[in-house]
Every structure is written in C-alpha cells, then in structure tokens.
C-alpha cells in the first residue's frame, strides 16, 4: 500500500501542529454574531473642562463641586448627605489655599507686585485644583459605573469614562489610578447578564484606548490582559479581552507605539491561537494577529509559518461550516506578501497537499478496482470529504501566492511545474468521480483546476485533458446545486479564454449544441448562474480565431432562427424553412420551441452580441462574419415584421436596442457614408476596409427609421427609442458642413416622411408628451 502514513505530511517543509493533520473535528459552533465588536463615538466634552479653560484667571473650583454638579446633571439632583468637602484625596479647600499668611513676603518689591504675586499663587492653586478635580471626576465615574443599577445610566457613564480616558491631559491621573481602573473594568467584563453585553463591549473598548493612551504602560496592560485571558474559564469573557487587545492595536496603528513590546504581544497571541477551540475566539485572535502583520510585518514574519499551520488546520477541518472555511481562506490570502517572501515554504506546502490528495485518490481507486479493502484504508465516506478539503486549501494557497504563481515570474514556479500539478489534480478528481459522485469534491476540484489553469496556457495532451474535463463537468450540472454550476461555468469561461486561438471547433459546437446543459442553465432560477452562462457566451464570441468564432456565431444565430420560426408559426401556418434562411443551422432546423422559451432565447442570445457589435471599428464585427452584425440586426431578424411587432413587442424592442447600441458606438456610420475609398489588396485577396464595408449602413439606417416611425402599431417603448435615435442623428447631421450631401439622399427623404407621418398621426390622436419628440421639433 503506497498511501503515506498519518503524520508524515509536511515533514519536508515546516513541522506543522499535529491537529491539522490528524483530522480531529473541532467543536462545530455557530459563528458569533458578536464577531465584529463596534465601538461608539465619544460624546461631547465634560462641562468642567469648558469652565476651567474659559476662565484661566479665576480661582479654581474644588473638585467636589464638579462631582456634585456632575451628579446633579446625570441624576437630576445632588446625592443626600454629600458635602462640599470630599475627604477622599485629603486636599486643602480653596480658602485654605488662598490664606494671606501662606504668601511669601521676602520677594523683591515692584509696582503692583502684591497683585501679581497673588495672581501667580492663584494659578498654582488652580493647577492643583484641576489635578484633584480630574482624580475626583475619575473616581466618581468608576464608582458610578460599578454601583449604578440603571442600565441606561451605566451605559452613559461608561461612555463618559471612555471619553475621559481618551483625553490626553488626564494621563497622570490615569497612571495613578491604573490598578483601580483595571479592576473596575475587569469586574464589568466578568458580569454575567446578557442584557449588559453592550456595556461590557464598551468596557473592553476602554481597556484598548487606555493601553494606547498610556503607551509607556502598554507592556503592563497587555501582560495583565493575557494573564486575565488565560485564567478566565468563560469564552465570552475571553472574547472581550481579545477585543480590548484588538482595539489597542488598531488605535496605535502604524505609529509604532508598541514596537518595544510587540514581540511579547505576538508570542502571546500565537499561544492563544494555538489553543482556541471555538470559531468566535479564533476569529477574534486572528484579527489581532492580522493587525500585527499589517503594522509590524518584521515581527509577524517570524511567526508566519506557525500561524499558517494553525489556520490550515481549521481550513481542512471539513466538519466546520462553509462560512468559517471561507473566512479562514480570506485570512490566508491576506498574507500574500509573506507567502511570496517564503516561496520555499509555500511550494513545499502545496507539494504536501498534493501528496495527500493522491494518497486519498489511491484509496478510492481500490474501490473502483473491486479489491478487498485493508482495515487501514478509509472508506469513501471518509476519503471524499478530506479530498475536497485538500482541494480547497490547495486553491487557497495558490491564490495566496497571487501573481507570483506564474511561470513568467521564474523558478520555482515554472511551466513544467504548473503543468505537472494540473495533471495530477485532474487525475485525483477523475478517480473520485468514478468511485462516487460527490458534489463537494467536484466543486472544489473545478475551482482548483481553474486557479491552476489561470497560470498556464494548455497545449497538446494537457489541452485535450482540460477540454474533456470541462465538458464532462458540464454534463453533471443538471443534478447539482448553484455552487457547483457556478464553478463549472467559471471554469468553462476560463478554458475558452486560456485556450482561445487553439480552441477546436468541435468543442464550441458541443458547448452550444441543442442538448447541451449550457443552454438549459440559461433558464436557471438563480441570477448568478444565468449571468455566468452569459459570460461563457461572451467568451466564445470574443475568440480571436475567426473560423472558431464563426462556428460559435452560426450556432447562436441558428438557435435564434429556430426561435423566430417557432414564434411565427404561432401566428399562422408557415412553410418550413421559409423564414430566416440565411441564419438557420442544421442542428436547430428540426426543433420547435415553446413561445415563452423561444422569446427568452432570442433576447438572451441578442444580449451576448455586445462583445462583437460594440467594439468600435472591429474588423470581425464589420465584415469577417456572415451576416455582419449590422445586417443581422437590420435585416435578418425581421425588425420591420408587423405581426411580430404586435404580438411579440419585446423581441422587436430588443433587436432595435441592440442595433441602436451598435450604431451609437460607431457614430451611426455617418462618416463612412461619405467615403469614396476603394477596396484594398492584402495577401492577393480583395478585402473591403471597414469604411468601405459600412458605406451603405447610414442610408439603410435612415430608411429603417423612416419605415418604422410611419407604422401605426408600434410598441410605445420602441417608439420612444426611435425618436431618441432620430434626434441624435439629426443633431449629428447638423454638426458639420461636410455632412450636407447627406440631405440629398433618397433615404433621408424617407426618414423625413416617416417623422412627418408620425407627427400627423400624433396630431390626430393627441401628443405623447415625450421629451425626445419635443426636442426633435
């Protein structure tokens, strides 16, 4: 048995933690709705700051007066029994500070010296009063936030405390009372009432702000946080300690205020990451680590491999919810600079994933061959989910390496390397599909093939294998969900883009055949799936190989002709093949579509022509295809068919709008209609230039607009579009004197007659009041 023994994976790169390799399931809990802890904005500044700053020459007011005033403001009155002298801090009253016998009298006398001396002493007294005022204010806030029973008052108080802490001038007071502050906030974090979660979040924010304001005390506060985290037995409290750490790191930002302690912080965060066992704590600890990686990359780089080991373990734990797996994938991809800086580790990790994939594929191959299974070989029910998880994490790491995962950037990522890896991944997924249909494996496999295919242009046997794989996956769409369908459609779009000029006609015809799942997916109820189908069509109609493009174009037109014939047959008996003879295709000729399906098919297919019709001066759109886009829209799709316009007005409007978009992109072909250029020779063949090929387009357009405007029965939205169109053409014709010969064209006379007929009809039945009509006249 060639399957590698458990525990051998990644031995050649970096020694991973055993828990990501032994497939032990973690606790599967719902992702916390408290994942994002949002802080509230600070309120307005306290009243005492305004009073103190606005009257610098006035005597200082005792802090107990501020405390009483604050209590009165918050609670509607003064507390009973509270005097004007607070003995907590044992400081002199205002009268004591200003007693005359405290003044020094042995100074050099000068005019008004006593007044100046008294003023100086009062300022000293004021400074001392402000310091004590801050201490009293802080003590009062801490006391009230701890003892207050009313929830709303506590919330208001904690916000005032947050503002006080963030105030830069109160640092000295904060340092003196640091132990008390930490103790009070810690008590709030450990409260058990779910009704106070917002209060506890604000307390955690206070801790983070405190750490930032007192950056010289940051080491002490961070150590206190980590000690409390490790000693706590409640996950929700641990979460709040991590929220506090994150707030501190975010507030410090790139100012490098914590540079001297960041290695200690990172080591503790790494230890926490290694031991968390719930998604909520994982998310919060990773947020802290990513903040370190962003602001202190030199510190995080030494922990990069260890962090990846833990996150990979969560990524391949298939018992976790998909949302968490996607989140972990996003975290890993956000570390692109570290993946690129350590390419040896990155490619070795990919190699180990690939070896594990092949080991599980080999286990599955024994089921296909019918061999008696060894007891050590896991059954498909175990191997398939693990194979899917390995395919997903492989894709994540490739995406994490980013643009550096390209043969054009040089070793160790070479074309040979990518080709080899892609072949091995295709083989693993193919074996798994032969054993048991697993949507999870196939979805992950398609994504993995896609990220690899984006880095290489397949050719030869690899191209054949990729094309066969894509068609095989498309056949499974009918039995699978939207995620699988999206993965397949995105893969097909990528295959068309990457192979492009080498794409064989047979592949295109199979994709667009009447029985193809691609055509059926257009009717999918999920808009994302329908949009992805549209992407495949546009990729096919953007091919640079003209024979292959023409094959796709004719298939699309053939289905549209089938739809038009089906709609016309509902209006009366028709001879088979009498309509749209120039765009029919043998594959669709014998088919008849239901009216609703036929109408949707025509509109959908028309919308895919934008890549051809709206590319300005495109040789392919102008003359390489037969019929050209202009001829198709103006003639072949029976734009002026009266019965079709009456019973299926959406068809006529869609064709009209597509033609309008095409003509607007080329300035309605006015300039080319004046050209007298002749055909040019190229490689011995006579090929009309773009100008020559479009010489008669403007005249055709004028005749078409004149004929449609004179129709009595016309869809109102179509008529509005025609009036807007006529206005644009009229303004362009007036723009330059060189366009004066156009006024003598017979088609211009028809254009004018159509407008006059429409005007006469509207005069008889009443105006529509349309803006385009008003401006035209």
């Amino acid at each position: 048995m060639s399957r590698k023994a458990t525990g051998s994976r990644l031995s050649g790169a970096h020694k991973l933690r055993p828990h990501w390799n032994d497939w032990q399931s973690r606790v599967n809990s719902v992702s916390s709705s408290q994942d994002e802890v949002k802080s509230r904005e600070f309120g307005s500044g306290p009243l005492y700051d305004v009073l103190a700053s606005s009257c610098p020459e006035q005597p200082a007011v005792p802090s107990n007066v501020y405390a009483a005033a604050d209590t009165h403001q918050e609670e509607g009155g003064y507390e009973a029994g509270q005097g004007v002298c607070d003995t907590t801090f044992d400081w002199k009253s205002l009268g004591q500070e200003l007693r005359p016998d405290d003044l020094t009298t042995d100074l050099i006398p000068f005019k008004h010296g006593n007044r100046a001396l008294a003023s100086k002493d009062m300022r000293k007294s004021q400074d001392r009063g402000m310091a004590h005022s801050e201490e009293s204010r802080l003590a009062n806030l801490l006391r009230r936030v701890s003892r207050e029973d009313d929830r709303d008052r506590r919330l208001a108080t904690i916000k005032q405390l947050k503002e006080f802490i963030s105030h830069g001038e109160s640092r000295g007071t904060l340092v003196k009372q640091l132990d008390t502050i930490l103790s009070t906030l810690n008590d709030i974090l450990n409260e058990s009432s779910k009704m106070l979660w917002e209060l506890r979040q604000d307390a955690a924010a206070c801790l983070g702000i405190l750490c930032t304001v007192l950056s010289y005390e940051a080491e002490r506060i961070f150590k206190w946080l980590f000690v409390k985290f490790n000693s706590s037995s409640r996950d929700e409290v641990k979460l709040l300690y991590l929220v506090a750490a994150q707030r501190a790191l975010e507030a410090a930002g790139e100012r490098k205020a914590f540079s001297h302690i960041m290695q200690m912080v990172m080591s503790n965060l790494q230890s926490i990451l290694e031991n968390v066992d719930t998604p909520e704590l994982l998310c919060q600890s990773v947020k802290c680590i990513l903040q370190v990686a962003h602001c202190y990359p030199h510190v995080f780089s030494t922990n990069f491999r260890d962090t990846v080991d833990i996150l990979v373990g969560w990524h391949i734990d298939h018992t976790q919810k998909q949302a968490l797996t996607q989140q972990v994938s996003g975290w890993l991809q956000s570390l692109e600079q570290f993946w690129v800086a350590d390419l040896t580790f990155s490619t070795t990790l990919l190699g180990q994933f690939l070896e594990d994939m092949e080991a599980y594929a080999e286990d599955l191959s024994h089921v296909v061959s019918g061999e008696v299974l060894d007891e050590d070989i896991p059954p498909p029910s175990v191997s398939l989910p693990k194979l899917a998880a390995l395919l997903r994490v492989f894709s994540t790491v490739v995406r994490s390496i980013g643009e550096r995962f390209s043969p054009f950037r040089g070793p160790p990522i070479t074309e040979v390397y990518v080709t080899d890896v892609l072949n091995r991944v295709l083989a693993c997924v193919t074996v798994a599909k032969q054993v048991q249909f697993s949507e999870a494996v196939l979805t992950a496999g398609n994504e993995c093939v896609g990220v690899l295919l984006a880095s290489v242009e397949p050719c030869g046997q690899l191209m054949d294998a990729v094309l066969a794989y894509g068609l095989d996956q498309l056949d499974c769409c009918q039995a699978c969900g939207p995620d699988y369908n999206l993965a397949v459609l995105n893969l097909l779009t990528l295959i068309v883009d990457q192979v492009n000029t080498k794409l064989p006609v047979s592949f295109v015809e199979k994709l667009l055949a009447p029985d193809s799942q691609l055509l059926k997916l257009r009717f999918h109820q999920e808009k994302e799936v329908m949009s992805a189908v549209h992407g495949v069509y546009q990729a096919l109609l953007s091919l640079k190989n003209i024979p292959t493009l023409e094959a796709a174009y004719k298939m699309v037109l053939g289905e549209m002709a089938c739809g038009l014939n089906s709609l016309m047959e509902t209006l009366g008996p028709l001879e088979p093949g009498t309509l749209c003879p120039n765009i029919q295709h043998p594959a669709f000729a014998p088919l008849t579509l239901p009216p609703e399906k036929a109408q949707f098919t025509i509109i959908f297919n028309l919308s895919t022509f934008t890549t051809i019709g709206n590319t300005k001066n495109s040789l392919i759109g102008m003359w390489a295809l037969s019929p050209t886009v202009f001829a198709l829209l103006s003639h072949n799709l029976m734009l002026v068919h009266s019965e079709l316009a009456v019973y299926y007005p959406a068809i006529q409007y869609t064709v009209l709008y597509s033609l309008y978009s095409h003509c607007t992109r080329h300035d309605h072909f006015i300039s080319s209609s004046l050209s007298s250029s002749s055909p040019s020779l190229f490689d011995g063949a006579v090929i009309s230039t773009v100008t020559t090929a479009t010489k008669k387009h403007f005249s055709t357009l004028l005749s078409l607009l004149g004929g449609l405007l004179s129709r009595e029965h016309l869809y109102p939205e179509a008529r509005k579009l025609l009036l807007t169109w006529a206005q644009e053409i009229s303004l362009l014709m007036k723009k330059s004197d060189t366009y004066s010969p156009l006024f003598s064209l017979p088609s211009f006379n028809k254009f004018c007659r159509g407008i006059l007929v429409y005007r006469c009809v509207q005069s008889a039945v009443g105006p529509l009041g349309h803006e385009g009509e008003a401006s035209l006249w």
Side-chain angles (χ1 to χ4, degrees):
M1 182 180 67
S2 62
R3 182 176 181 273
K4 285 187 173 292
T6 304
S8 64
R9 298 162 190 159
L10 293 186
S11 58
H14 181 68
K15 194 169 184 180
L16 294 178
R17 298 293 182 273
H19 64 259
W20 83 267
N21 208 20
D22 57 11
W23 302 96
Q24 294 297 323
S25 301
R26 290 181 175 79
V27 178
N28 188 6
S29 61
V30 180
S31 297
S32 174
S33 62
Q34 303 143 358
D35 187 280
E36 293 290 337
V37 180
K38 297 183 179 179
S39 64
R40 297 185 177 271
E41 295 181 353
F42 300 144
S44 59
L47 177 62
Y48 71 92
D49 284 337
V50 178
L51 292 174
S53 60
S54 62
C55 302
E57 295 298 326
Q58 298 298 321
V61 182
S63 62
N64 52 355
V65 176
Y66 290 123
D70 181 71
T71 305
H72 177 74
Q73 182 181 359
E74 294 294 330
E75 302 177 7
Y78 297 103
E79 295 179 356
Q82 183 178 13
V84 295
C85 184
D86 191 343
T87 59
T88 304
F89 297 99
D90 192 22
W91 53 288
K92 293 182 179 181
S93 68
L94 179 62
Q96 290 173 320
E97 290 288 349
L98 297 180
R99 286 175 184 170
D101 56 353
D102 287 336
L103 299 177
T104 304
T105 58
D106 57 351
L107 297 175
I108 300 174
F110 57 92
K111 190 175 182 179
H112 302 305
N114 290 338
R115 182 180 298 177
L117 184 61
S119 177
K120 178 181 179 181
D121 198 50
M122 282 194 294
R123 284 196 297 271
K124 289 183 178 180
S125 172
Q126 182 182 7
D127 292 341
R128 288 193 294 271
M130 284 302 298
H132 289 295
S133 175
E134 287 186 349
E135 293 178 8
S136 298
R137 173 68 170 165
L138 177 59
N140 187 35
L141 290 172
L142 293 174
R143 181 174 61 255
R144 285 164 49 203
V145 80
S146 299
R147 299 177 184 176
E148 179 62 64
D149 293 330
D150 184 80
R151 175 181 176 275
D152 292 336
R153 289 185 179 181
R154 289 191 77 186
L155 284 172
T157 305
I158 196 72
K159 287 172 175 54
Q160 293 175 22
L161 179 61
K162 190 193 303 183
E163 179 186 354
F164 182 90
I165 292 174
S166 63
H167 199 275
E169 297 178 1
S170 59
R171 293 179 183 176
T173 302
L174 295 175
V175 173
K176 290 180 183 179
Q177 300 299 319
L178 183 56
D179 289 335
T180 304
I181 298 172
L182 293 178
S183 177
T184 301
L185 294 176
N186 186 59
D187 290 342
I188 296 174
L189 295 184
N190 282 273
E191 292 189 27
S192 57
S193 174
K194 293 183 179 180
M195 297 292 293
L196 299 176
W197 180 250
E198 185 179 354
L199 176 74
R200 296 162 70 191
Q201 287 178 317
D202 283 342
C206 284
L207 279 172
I209 296 171
L210 180 67
C211 189
T212 306
V213 171
L214 303 181
S215 56
Y216 42 85
E217 294 286 348
E219 182 174 6
R220 175 183 172 188
I221 299 174
F222 268 116
K223 286 183 177 179
W224 179 89
L225 279 173
F226 294 134
V227 168
K228 291 298 182 182
F229 178 93
N230 293 326
S231 61
S232 178
S233 59
R234 295 167 57 193
D235 285 348
E236 63 179 43
V237 179
K238 289 184 174 183
L239 184 68
L240 291 170
Y241 289 128
L242 289 175
V243 168
Q246 181 194 355
R247 287 299 303 273
L249 292 168
E250 285 180 346
E254 298 182 3
R255 291 179 296 169
K256 313 302 181 187
F258 299 152
S259 297
H260 61 294
I261 61 166
M262 198 44 56
Q263 190 60 61
M264 178 272 294
V265 172
M266 185 63 225
S267 298
N268 280 276
L269 291 174
Q270 183 67 41
S271 177
I272 290 172
L273 180 65
E274 292 173 357
N275 292 283
V276 295
D277 55 4
T278 66
E280 294 79 13
L281 288 175
L282 172 72
C283 293
Q284 196 58 52
S285 62
V286 172
K287 287 180 182 179
C288 294
I289 290 174
L290 292 181
Q291 189 66 31
V292 175
H294 175 68
C295 296
Y296 305 90
H298 63 287
V299 174
F300 175 75
S301 60
T302 59
N303 294 82
F304 168 64
R305 295 189 179 190
D306 292 332
T307 301
V308 166
D309 291 349
I310 305 303
L311 294 182
V312 163
W314 284 89
H315 197 305
I316 63 177
D317 184 357
H318 58 86
T319 65
Q320 296 296 331
K321 291 188 175 181
Q322 184 180 3
L324 179 64
T325 303
Q326 291 175 345
Q327 196 166 23
V328 174
S329 177
W331 294 333
L332 289 169
Q333 292 178 55
S334 70
L335 300 174
E336 179 179 343
Q337 60 173 319
F338 302 98
W339 289 102
V340 174
D342 198 353
L343 268 182
T344 301
F345 169 73
S346 305
T347 53
T348 304
L349 194 61
L350 288 174
Q352 296 297 327
F353 291 150
L354 193 55
E355 289 181 8
D356 284 353
M357 284 186 226
E358 291 176 326
Y360 287 115
E362 184 177 350
D363 293 341
L364 292 169
S365 66
H366 292 299
V367 178
V368 179
S369 63
E371 298 178 11
V372 179
L373 297 179
D374 192 302
E375 293 181 356
D376 294 333
I377 299 178
S381 60
V382 174
S383 298
L384 289 172
K386 293 181 178 180
L387 177 58
L390 286 165
L391 286 164
R392 285 192 293 267
V393 76
F394 190 97
S395 300
T396 291
V397 174
V398 173
R399 290 189 178 105
S400 299
I401 299 174
E403 294 180 357
R404 182 62 183 84
F405 193 89
S406 170
F408 301 105
R409 304 291 293 273
I413 312 298
T414 63
E415 186 173 353
V416 174
Y417 170 81
V418 179
T419 301
D420 176 64
V421 170
L422 182 54
N423 273 316
R424 292 164 70 181
V425 169
L426 287 172
C428 290
V429 179
T430 302
V431 169
K433 185 173 180 291
Q434 292 172 350
V435 174
Q436 182 177 324
F437 185 87
S438 170
E439 186 172 341
V441 171
L442 295 180
T443 302
N446 291 334
E447 293 178 356
C448 190
V449 170
V451 296
L452 291 170
L453 189 60
S455 300
V456 66
E457 183 178 331
C459 57
Q461 293 182 346
L462 177 61
M463 183 185 73
D464 295 338
V466 168
L467 296 180
Y469 178 86
L471 292 173
D472 182 57
Q473 295 297 308
L474 180 63
D475 290 339
C476 302
C477 284
Q478 188 175 5
C480 297
D483 289 342
Y484 175 83
N485 293 337
L486 285 173
V488 172
L489 293 170
N490 292 334
L491 176 62
L492 288 173
T493 302
L494 187 61
I495 289 174
V496 174
D497 288 339
Q498 289 295 97
V499 180
N500 210 299
T501 57
K502 300 177 184 177
L503 203 66
V505 172
S506 58
F507 178 80
V508 173
E509 292 177 340
K510 288 178 182 178
L511 274 183
L512 299 175
D515 59 346
S516 172
Q517 288 294 325
L518 182 66
L519 275 60
K520 298 176 183 177
L521 287 174
R522 292 176 303 183
F523 302 92
H524 201 282
Q525 59 184 359
E526 294 288 340
K527 291 184 178 180
E528 284 185 277
V529 175
M530 187 190 303
S531 178
V533 176
H534 198 273
V536 178
Y537 269 76
Q538 289 194 314
L540 290 170
L541 295 174
S542 301
L543 291 171
K544 299 299 186 285
N545 184 317
I546 292 181
T548 309
L549 171 62
E550 192 170 17
Y553 185 64
K554 288 187 177 299
M555 292 289 288
V556 175
L557 294 188
E559 189 184 27
M560 292 175 68
C562 176
L564 283 171
N565 284 337
S566 299
L567 292 178
M568 293 302 296
E569 287 176 1
T570 63
L571 304 178
L574 297 172
E575 292 293 331
T578 55
L579 295 176
C580 309
N582 295 334
I583 62 173
Q584 288 194 14
H585 194 282
F588 294 95
L591 300 180
T592 300
L593 302 176
E596 290 185 1
K597 189 174 181 179
Q599 186 170 221
F600 176 86
T601 298
I602 295 169
I603 294 174
F604 181 91
N605 287 6
L606 278 171
S607 68
T608 64
F609 285 140
T610 55
T611 53
I612 300 176
N614 290 355
T615 303
K616 194 166 186 178
N617 295 331
S618 167
L619 291 174
I620 292 177
M622 298 302 177
W623 58 264
L625 299 176
S626 179
T628 64
V629 174
F630 183 87
L632 170 72
L633 297 173
S634 62
H635 174 68
N636 297 93
L637 296 183
M638 301 180 297
L639 188 61
V640 294
H641 198 289
S642 56
E643 292 187 47
L644 188 67
V646 171
Y647 291 99
Y648 300 103
I651 297 291
Q652 186 189 51
Y653 180 82
T654 305
V655 176
L656 257 180
Y657 189 84
S658 300
L659 181 59
Y660 168 74
S661 178
H662 176 60
C663 293
T664 302
R665 183 61 176 162
H666 298 85
D667 297 324
H668 305 290
F669 304 101
I670 294 179
S671 298
S672 60
S673 65
L674 296 171
S675 174
S676 59
S677 60
S678 57
S680 58
L681 292 176
F682 181 74
D683 290 340
V686 179
I687 301 178
S688 297
T689 61
V690 170
T691 302
T692 305
T694 61
K695 183 174 178 61
K696 296 181 179 180
H697 283 7
F698 182 64
S699 180
T700 302
L701 187 58
L702 290 176
S703 298
L704 183 62
L705 290 177
L708 287 172
L709 282 170
S710 62
R711 290 296 176 91
E712 183 178 352
H713 301 290
L714 195 63
Y715 185 49
E717 293 300 320
R719 193 181 300 277
K720 291 177 183 179
L721 177 62
L722 289 172
L723 288 172
T724 301
W725 199 346
Q727 177 191 359
E728 290 183 11
I729 290 176
S730 300
L731 292 175
L732 283 173
M733 291 177 69
K734 290 169 56 179
K735 188 175 182 180
S736 174
D737 294 338
T738 59
Y739 295 153
S740 55
L742 299 177
F743 293 103
S744 60
L745 291 174
S747 56
F748 181 73
N749 293 331
K750 185 175 182 180
F751 172 69
C752 293
R753 284 198 302 271
I755 294 176
L756 289 173
V757 169
Y758 165 74
R759 185 62 176 173
C760 292
V761 171
Q762 292 306 310
S763 298
V765 300
L768 290 175
H770 184 251
E771 295 178 2
E773 179 188 2
S775 57
L776 181 63
W777 297 108

